[in-house]
Amino acid sequence: MNQHLKGSLSTIILKLLHDNGRMYGYEITQKVKELTQDDIQITEGALYPILHKLEAEEVLTAETEKVDGRVRKYYKITPKGNAVAVDRIAELKAFAENLNLILNPKLSLS
Amino acid sequence: MNQHLKGSLSTIILKLLHDNGRMYGYEITQKVKELTQDDIQITEGALYPILHKLEAEEVLTAETEKVDGRVRKYYKITPKGNAVAVDRIAELKAFAENLNLILNPKLSLS
DNA sequence: TTTGGATGCATAAGAAAATTATGTATGTTT
DNA sequence: AAACATACATAATTTTCTTATGCATCCAAA
C-alpha cells in the first residue's frame, strides 16, 4: 500500500460509504482502485480490521448476504455514526487542502 | 496532531527541506504551522525521531550551531538523499491527487 | 478436469509510526 | 518570579499497517 495512506484509510472508507450508502469490503477495495486508477490498493489485512473496529464503535452496521453463491458482508453508516463520518471527512478534506498548501507553496511576491 | 498526517509526516519534512535548503527542527514545526494556518502542529515526539532516522539513513546531514545562546541543529538533504526526497515528494503529490479523486468524485454523466 | 485467477471474508505476528509524557536548557515577557 | 517561547531529546505505550496465512466459492483456461 501507499505509505502516505496511513491514517487516512478509515476516513476514505467512511467517505465511500457516505457516498454510496451500502458497500461490502471487496467492493470498497475495487472502488478505491477504480477511483485512483489502480494507484491505491487497499490490502485485506488493513481493510477488515478497520471495518470491524468501526462496527464495534457503532459507526457502521453490517448485514451478511449470499449473492451468487458467495457471502458478502454489507456495511452502512449508522445514524449515530453519521456525525462521526461527516466530521472525519471534513478533516480529511482540510488535510488534503493543507497538503496542497505544503506541496505548492505560494511564491512570496514581496 | 491531525490523525490523517500519519504516514505523510516524513515526506512533508523532506519537502520543506527540499524547498528551503537548510532548516532546524523547531523551524520546521513553525513553517508547517504557518503554511497550514495553524491547522497542522507537528509534535516533537514525532518530529525528532523522524529527523534522526533520516539522518541515520544518510538522507539528511545535521550541523549543530549556537544562535543567540541556544543550540540549533540544522538539517539538509544529502546529494544521495536527494533522489529519495524527490521520489517521496512525487508519491505524496500523487497521493494528494488521489485524495482529491476520492473526496470529489466526478459525477457519472452516462 | 484440474489449475489458476477473481471474488469474498478473516485473523495472527510483527513492524512501523505515531502519541503522550517527561526531561533538559536558554531567552524573553509579564 | 513565573510563564511562555525557543530548542532538542527520548522512553513507554498505543495505533495502524504489512505480511502471511487460512478458508470458501465461482469461472475460465489448459
Side-chain angles (χ1 to χ4, degrees), chain B residues 24-26 44-45 48-49 52 70-73:
Chain B
Y24 57 100
Y26 186 76
E44 295 157 300
Y48 292 114
H52 299 161
R70 287 199 210 82
V71 168
R72 290 180 182 171
K73 200 160 161 187

Side-chain angles (χ1 to χ4, degrees), chain A residues 69-98:
Chain A
R70 286 199 210 80
V71 169
R72 290 180 182 172
K73 201 161 163 189
Y74 279 94
Y75 290 89
K76 64 178 177 192
I77 298 174
T78 64
K80 171 193 163 188
N82 196 61
V84 175
V86 168
D87 270 10
R88 293 206 194 149
I89 292 165
E91 277 172 25
L92 184 57
K93 273 185 187 163
F95 174 61
E97 283 158 23
N98 283 326

Side-chain angles (χ1 to χ4, degrees), chain B residues 1-28:
Chain B
M1 190 201 305
N2 189 314
Q3 77 134 311
H4 297 112
L5 193 53
K6 264 175 210 265
S8 300
L9 193 47
S10 67
T11 308
I12 287 172
I13 291 167
L14 289 176
K15 168 64 176 166
L16 292 182
L17 285 169
H18 195 257
D19 283 358
N20 297 291
R22 190 167 183 272
M23 299 179 86
Y24 57 100
Y26 186 76
E27 187 184 9
I28 291 172

